[in-house]
Amino acid sequence: VLLHYGYMDSEIQLRHKYEFAQRLMHKHLEVFPDDSYMLNKLGALYINNPDGDRQFGISLLQKGLSLIDDSEQQNLTRCEIYYHLGLAYQQNEDWELARQAYQQVIDLDVPNLVKLSAYLNLGNIYQGLNQQEAIAYFEKVTQIAPNFAQGYFNYGIALKTSGRFTEAITAYQKAISLEPDYADAHQNLGVVMMKVGYFPEAITSFTTAIQLHEQQQNYETAAILRSALQEFQ
């Protein structure tokens, strides 16, 4: 069964917003072609638009980057451009270029909170390359944003993948304490609980995850979990 959302009102409105914003930015650049800030914003728009020309967006970002001077006042714009380039390279599955772009963000003299998404995305890239690097980046995310549940969730995944189950349990529990309805965190906590032999606690976590998935209309995931849980019991 194919679910086609192309003509839903929300999708049409979103496309209209993209098109309207693009027209305005292109008109601005006709008058001010060397505006690196606007080149950044328009490039990001092409990258974020599912129907956009990603390669053209990359070219706009690269042009914007080439026009920025070396002053610290330009660091935030430079940071945004490198981050958007990282996103584009990730979408192209060019992991090395993405890694380099995010590293450029981290190397800039800007507040750590501005770098948060770069650390998070670097952690995601390293999940498939170097688990210790992934752990380090996700740990940094939890330090920068101690109230960010997803940071602890991703940290837990990296720890679990490395076999550091006790630490993973702590990370998932922290994510749940920050966001009690985090269904995936309850689910992953159940997996790690099983690995260390805490079976009653694992069943409790899986049961909670099933309930939350159903409340959040993730019915397929809930059904798979329920079936697995019934086989285990």
Side-chain angles (χ1 to χ4, degrees), residues 23 25 27 34 58 70 78 82 108 138 164 172-173 182 194 219 224:
R23 286 198 300 271
M25 291 182 189
K27 286 183 178 179
D34 294 337
I58 289 173
D70 293 331
R78 189 179 290 107
Y82 277 125
L108 286 170
F138 288 137
R164 295 163 60 175
Y172 289 134
Q173 288 174 333
Y182 204 149
M194 286 193 70
Y219 299 118
I224 292 170

Side-chain angles (χ1 to χ4, degrees), residues 27 39 59 115 127 159 172 198 227:
K27 286 183 178 179
L39 286 164
S59 69
K115 304 176 185 179
Q127 278 280 42
L159 290 166
Y172 289 134
Y198 297 162
S227 176

Side-chain angles (χ1 to χ4, degrees), residues 172-180:
Y172 289 134
Q173 288 174 333
K174 180 63 175 178
I176 291 167
S177 72
L178 292 168
E179 193 174 320

Side-chain angles (χ1 to χ4, degrees), residues 182-225:
Y182 204 149
D184 287 337
H186 286 281
Q187 181 177 332
N188 279 32
L189 178 59
V191 171
V192 182
M193 287 289 192
M194 286 193 70
K195 287 184 177 292
V196 297
Y198 297 162
F199 298 114
E201 292 85 351
I203 291 171
T204 299
S205 293
F206 285 132
T207 302
T208 303
I210 291 168
Q211 293 171 347
L212 289 171
H213 279 305
E214 288 179 336
Q215 290 172 14
Q216 295 160 18
Q217 300 183 349
N218 302 322
Y219 299 118
E220 185 176 353
T221 302
I224 292 170
L225 272 180

